[in-house]
Amino acid sequence: MDCRGISVSRIFLVWVALLAGILSAQSTVVLTVVDTSGAPLPEAEIFAAETARITTTGPTGTATLSFPAGVDTLTLTVFAPGLNSEQLQLGQGEGPRRITLRPLSLALSSVLVTAEARRREALTRLRAVEGTAIYAGRKTEVVALDALTVNLATNQARQIYGEVSGLNIYENDDAGLQLNIGGRGLDPNRTASFNTRQNGYDISADVLGYPESYYTPPAEALARIEVVRGAASLQYGTQFGGLVNFVFREPNRAKKSELVSRQTVGSNALFTSFNSLSGQLGPLGYYGFYNYKRGDGFRPHSGFDSHTAFLHLDVAPAFSADTRISLEYTHQDYLAQQAGGLTDAQFYRDPYTSNRARNWFAVDWQLFSLRLAHKFGDQATLSVNAFGLDASRRAVGFRTNRVSQVDDTEAPRDLLIGKFRNYGAEARLLKRYQLAGREAIALIGMKYYRAQNSAVQGPGTAGSDADFSLATDRFPSYPNQSDFVFPNRNLAVFGEHIFYLSDRLSVTPGARFEYIRTASEGSYRRFDFDLAGNAIRDDRFTDDREFLRNLLLLGVGLSYRRSEQLEFFANLSENYRSVTFNDIRTVNPSFQVDPNIRDERGYTADVGVRGRRLRWSYNANVFALRYGNRLGEVLTPEVRTNADGEEVETGRIVRLRGNIGAAFLYGLESLIEYRALDAVSDREVPYTLTAFANTSVTDSRYTSSATPGVAGREVEFIPRLNLKTGLRFGYGDLLGSLQFSYLSRQFTDASNAEQDHSDNQSGIVGSIPAYGVADLSLSYRYRRWTAEAGINNLLDAMYFTRRATGYPGPGIIPSAGRTFYLTVGVKL
């Protein structure tokens, strides 16, 4: 829907009017949560089974709980980090109550500690509202890191996201420096199809113009990862994928200081050191960490060196017990050598070789956040978050369209320098009130975002070191030269509302209005060469563009909660993705862009059920995704204009990126868990055994296309079967997990090219064959000490997940073979 006549000022006035107009009251009771010393526990979570609501205690450890109409008793479960959960019941009319939580970590075995984490996850996974966000009627998945026994030191994605449905993962390295996930046919490259956030604020390079994220938080610092699928577009942006939100661990408010140190060694000279400090000093809460990683990589010319630091400070001002102000700073700085791509013949001969000794990649990422949260009693919550990014990424490497060509040490390297400067602010108000005798929940919000980014491409040095300086003076006729800035601006206003039609049935309509301005300002050079390779023509072209868009996205969700253990849900939401400057840049001669490329538009829908019964827990849904003007790549003969002005084929095949056509995707996603053995606290030696199967079956087709041979073809990056299954087991203080991932064949371009045989010399043309990978992880705890060990790619499978058309390729990027790791940790 096009709404060009709607002014930004009117939208702002409507938002302010809604912000000021929400009032109501309900019957309440006060609960205070303390530890065994009697000290109050701020930020403790209280889950009410009757309403599926979570309430958080304030700085004094107190929380005010409301009784919805018709509810006389609340069954509460109280959680706090590092402490045992407790249950109690509160009735209407009771006076203030007090509950004490006991220490968890040293009182129980590892099996029971993990069982406690899984129990908390099960209770909170189905929540409709958290903080100032609405999740009712959506497919939501929460990865609780404390409940996993996996390789956290290297952010092993296929293990960490093993129970998130339908994710396709690029596995480019064994360091976990970048996360590359996509789902339901979305390109996994640097998670660009999801809105990626950290503690609720954006962390990608540029939400509008360059949504890729070069920074991934270390898994050892995370409490959980929240994944909300396509219907998240109404609250978090226009993306087809939805939201991925990395939530860091909170300050340990039960202690003045707590030190966690984890040291890891592994294959290929891997060494990581993670050290965190947290606690509560009067009104000040703090959490910070430093993470160092280094390794040689599993291929020649593929080492890495990474530093990540984070600091969180929060304070509850003396003038308001219901207000909390927090400040966060993140810095990641890493340098990685990239081994480059291979042809199919090279891969099947030796997947761990490399033709590229001069490819280097560097990232410098700085994130800032200032957040204010205020509770107006138990009925309304306001959050305002100001955030910013000051970052860069630099890449240098040998530029060639022949994958098999050995690196020419006398030739200049292609240099790409991107700088990202952006800032924004997001405000949200969530209000609970009575409507027609039933509880209703309203959310309104506004986001302002501004970016000033730049991109430079040109000749790098002819050396082999990590030199990211331009060498234009030495190589003035280098063919790939450009210099651009990208000033982007965005204003979004969004709102959602939960209407309870009965005690069990709710409907959640929502809308998001977007004003988007993207622009490019700069120039590029084009050279013509004679047969000897000498430049005979040098033209400089100015290419300034501006795109203005006003969009209104609509959606609706339904939730039918048959009981606390069973819920049915459905949702439908519009989605949108603008063409970004990365879509229209060419970084390799074998890759070209359609000059008429346009924005994508479509919708996503889900219908599903989730719940628990006896030893079983399950989550299953069918989904549909409709793309209009889907962006993709197709293999096509290269065409050039000759001296007579005629278009002729050069005889070379190139990848052409553009709007391939309309596509329709649909499928079934399911996660089933069976607890064969349950941990019980009164056993002399508790034990547990859980089996799970995470299955996604997807079909896809291009329904129409102007490109010959595309209509009726399968959509790229979609394996028909995506299966992740495994066992989690434990005996006393010994925990373990065995996981297996299988993905069937998937295409990498819209023409469904099948040249993936061992004699293929291309590397960029063809499908990705089916593959299966197994991982084993073990953990043992003795008092404050923990030892972890594991084997990734247990059966040493030879496989790949990516055919790169640009950096660090082109060609096949192999995945790691069998690797080992050992971690020793202590908590003081």
Side-chain angles (χ1 to χ4, degrees), residues 544-822:
D544 296 342
R545 309 185 195 185
E546 181 182 58
F547 302 94
L548 296 176
R549 308 169 182 88
N550 290 303
L551 307 168
L552 181 62
L553 303 177
L554 303 175
V556 64
L558 294 172
S559 173
Y560 178 72
R561 185 179 291 274
R562 182 67 180 83
S563 65
E564 180 189 342
Q565 289 77 31
L566 178 62
E567 180 189 14
F568 300 90
F569 66 92
N571 63 74
L572 174 67
S573 178
E574 292 183 284
N575 298 99
Y576 172 84
R577 181 182 182 273
S578 62
V579 173
T580 70
F581 73 75
N582 194 49
D583 292 323
I584 61 177
R585 296 171 65 244
T586 58
V587 294
N588 189 277
S590 63
F591 181 80
Q592 295 184 3
V593 176
D594 184 343
N596 299 315
I597 194 169
R598 302 186 307 278
D599 298 338
E600 293 179 322
R601 190 76 185 257
Y603 65 82
T604 57
D606 286 279
V607 178
V609 59
R610 52 197 168 200
R612 306 183 303 277
R613 179 174 175 80
L614 301 177
R615 295 179 179 269
W616 296 88
S617 63
Y618 51 89
N619 188 332
N621 67 286
V622 293
F623 70 89
L625 195 155
R626 170 70 179 182
Y627 273 105
N629 298 328
R630 176 182 167 89
L631 293 170
E633 298 172 7
V634 64
L635 298 174
T636 186
E638 183 183 40
V639 176
R640 291 283 177 86
T641 303
N642 62 18
D644 298 326
E646 299 174 334
E647 291 188 346
V648 296
E649 295 186 4
T650 65
R652 198 162 65 97
I653 300 297
V654 298
R655 278 182 180 263
L656 180 68
R657 181 171 180 81
N659 299 104
I660 301 301
F664 185 71
L665 297 75
Y666 61 95
L668 169 68
E669 298 170 337
S670 67
L671 171 64
I672 300 174
E673 288 188 354
Y674 177 69
R675 299 184 303 279
L677 298 173
D678 263 334
V680 178
S681 59
D682 59 2
R683 286 200 183 111
E684 183 177 349
V685 181
Y687 49 84
T688 183
L689 176 64
T690 300
F692 73 89
N694 175 6
T695 309
S696 176
V697 181
T698 307
D699 195 11
S700 63
R701 287 291 184 273
Y702 281 100
T703 57
S704 62
S705 176
T707 304
V710 170
R713 300 284 188 178
E714 293 185 34
V715 179
E716 58 270 36
F717 306 119
I718 303 180
R720 182 67 60 88
L721 174 62
N722 188 333
L723 172 66
K724 297 179 178 66
T725 186
L727 296 173
R728 293 190 301 271
F729 50 89
Y731 181 81
D733 286 308
L734 177 66
L735 299 174
S737 70
L738 177 64
Q739 293 186 203
F740 179 74
S741 302
Y742 174 82
L743 277 74
S744 62
R745 181 199 61 186
Q746 55 186 293
F747 296 108
T748 61
D749 70 282
S751 62
N752 293 179
E754 276 282 22
Q755 300 177 29
D756 56 0
H757 305 297
S758 59
D759 59 348
N760 178 21
Q761 295 295 323
S762 170
I764 65 171
V765 178
S767 62
I768 297 174
Y771 64 89
V773 189
D775 300 292
L776 174 66
S777 293
L778 299 171
S779 172
Y780 182 78
R781 190 188 58 144
Y782 177 73
R783 296 184 179 178
R784 299 182 183 275
W785 293 87
T786 301
E788 301 173 10
I791 307 174
N792 293 123
N793 195 352
L794 180 65
L795 303 179
D796 201 20
M798 185 179 74
Y799 69 106
F800 65 93
T801 62
R802 182 184 181 189
R803 292 182 182 271
T805 57
Y807 194 87
I812 291 173
I813 308 297
S815 298
R818 183 189 294 124
T819 58
F820 305 84
Y821 73 93
L822 172 65

